Structure formats: C-alpha cells, structure tokens
Amino acid sequence: MQETWTITLPSSKKPTSNELKLVLSDNKKDLGIFLSYYFKKEGALAEKVDLSSEINFKNESEGDFDLEFDLIHYNACLAIHDQKRDSMKITFEIENDKLNLKGPYWPEREMDEI
C-alpha cells in the first residue's frame, strides 16, 4: 500500500521551501487524514501533524520531508486510549498548482495458501 494526497498551491509558480512550509502548516487537518490511511487497520488516527525536518529539494519540482504526528489508538469498547509521537518520510512532486504527496510503500501481506 502506498497512499497519495494532493494539495492545491496558492499560485502556479514553483514555491520556495518557506512557502511549502506555510502550505503544509495551513493543511494540517488534511495531512492528518492522509497519514491516518496508513494506520486505519490498527484503528488509529494521526493528529497534530508538524513538519519535523527541512524540505529537501532533489530538483526544482521534487523532494521530500519528514512529518511528525500524534498516533492515537482509541476504542471505547476495549477501553483503549493510547497516544504516541511518530514520524514518516513523505516525498512530493509539484505540478502546475498542485502539490502531490506520496507516503512510503508498505507491502501488504497476501492471503496464505491452504
């Protein structure tokens, strides 16, 4: 499984590192939803997403950065409410006025043969 997410940029020109930081800060709730897809099978949500590294540009329109977030497991029926800080490396690509985010690839286990 590899999740992707698209954020609309405020202008069509290539953003600087500081402009990307501002866009990520303004879209914290969307980033939390994006990261939560990785933990849905565990029943966990990602909240309080923050940039935890510098934005590294590989070229003019591609790069990566690390996001740090609270990973919250909550199940009232089982009396579970755990919270821990976690991080994930995200790669990005800028196309026109879109910031395309791509999370890490986590292979999924196929069904076992009988």
Side-chain angles (χ1 to χ4, degrees), residues 54-98:
E54 290 300 315
I55 296 175
N56 305 312
F57 281 93
K58 294 178 184 168
N59 58 42
E60 188 178 288
S61 61
E62 294 181 358
D64 60 40
F65 53 82
D66 292 332
L67 291 177
E68 192 174 64
F69 52 93
D70 285 343
L71 186 60
I72 300 169
H73 291 82
Y74 181 77
N75 186 321
C77 296
L78 299 175
I80 297 172
H81 190 161
D82 293 332
Q83 181 174 335
K84 67 175 182 172
R85 202 75 177 150
D86 205 348
S87 67
M88 187 177 289
K89 182 175 281 302
I90 305 297
T91 59
F92 69 87
E93 182 179 15
I94 300 167
E95 291 181 317
N96 301 326
D97 65 341
K98 304 285 185 203

Side-chain angles (χ1 to χ4, degrees), residues 5-11 23 27 30 95 97-100:
W5 197 265
T6 302
I7 296 174
T8 303
L9 295 170
S11 70
V23 168
N27 289 281
D30 282 351
E95 291 181 317
D97 65 341
K98 304 285 185 203
L99 175 64
N100 299 317

